[in-house]
């Protein structure tokens, strides 16, 4: 196996169990990892359109529509008309904003456990490597 194959194999072996465990952590909030990703995106970057969210997450707009509708139903986000009446902007509700902070605190021990024994410098390097791979793939 080449070093490249081994890298992506290790990524695959880590990714699915990580998402499964993350979903378990998010169960008390009636969320899945993809919904959590939308909430984090809105918290970090403010209100955005469905298209912006789809682009950021590299998924189709109908998938974003489904995710957002569920988050609206839960009271975590709201939609408002954008500059163009055909465009809707999604933003965190007051409840959603508080919830994101609560979930971040809740997830902190899970992330710390997952990264146990990995030096901070290696985490920073791995983060840069994954960001570069993402950029290469999306070019």
């Amino acid at each position: 196996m080449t070093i490249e194959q081994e890298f992506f194999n290790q990524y695959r072996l880590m990714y699915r169990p990580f998402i499964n465990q993350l979903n378990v952590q998010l169960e008390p909030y009636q969320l899945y990892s993809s919904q959590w990703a939308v909430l984090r995106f809105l918290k970090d970057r403010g209100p955005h359109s469905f298209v912006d969210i789809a682009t950021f997450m590299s998924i189709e707009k109908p998938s974003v529509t489904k995710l957002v509708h569920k988050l609206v139903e839960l009271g975590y986000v709201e939609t408002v008309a954008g500059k163009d009446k055909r465009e809707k902007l999604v933003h965190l509700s007051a409840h959603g904003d508080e919830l994101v902070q609560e979930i971040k605190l809740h997830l902190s021990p899970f992330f710390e456990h997952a990264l146990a024994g990995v030096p901070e410098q290696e985490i920073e390097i791995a983060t840069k490597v994954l960001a570069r791979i993402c950029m290469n793939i999306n070019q």
Side-chain angles (χ1 to χ4, degrees), residues 36 39 43 92 95-104:
W36 172 235
L39 294 176
K43 177 67 175 172
L92 288 174
H95 176 60
D97 192 57
E98 292 172 6
L99 185 80
V100 169
Q101 293 302 100
E102 180 182 330
I103 293 172
K104 282 183 175 183

Side-chain angles (χ1 to χ4, degrees), residues 83-124:
K83 297 174 203 159
D84 179 341
K85 291 187 185 209
R86 294 172 292 174
E87 177 184 68
K88 283 189 177 181
L89 292 179
V90 183
H91 67 92
L92 288 174
S93 66
H95 176 60
D97 192 57
E98 292 172 6
L99 185 80
V100 169
Q101 293 302 100
E102 180 182 330
I103 293 172
K104 282 183 175 183
L105 290 173
H106 174 79
L107 291 177
S108 187
F110 168 67
F111 292 145
E112 288 171 10
H113 175 74
L115 292 169
V118 181
E120 189 173 320
Q121 183 180 11
E122 289 183 20
I123 296 169
E124 290 172 3

Side-chain angles (χ1 to χ4, degrees), residues 40-88:
R40 281 192 346 258
F41 175 73
L42 296 173
K43 177 67 175 172
D44 295 343
R45 301 192 183 186
H48 276 78
S49 70
F50 285 68
V51 172
D52 293 337
I53 296 168
T55 300
F56 174 77
M57 294 181 66
S58 298
I59 60 176
E60 301 297 320
K61 188 175 172 263
S63 298
V64 171
T65 301
K66 185 176 177 183
L67 287 170
V68 169
H69 283 304
K70 181 62 178 177
L71 294 172
V72 167
E73 186 181 300
L74 291 168
Y76 299 163
V77 302
E78 298 169 344
T79 60
V80 294
K83 297 174 203 159
D84 179 341
K85 291 187 185 209
R86 294 172 292 174
E87 177 184 68
K88 283 189 177 181

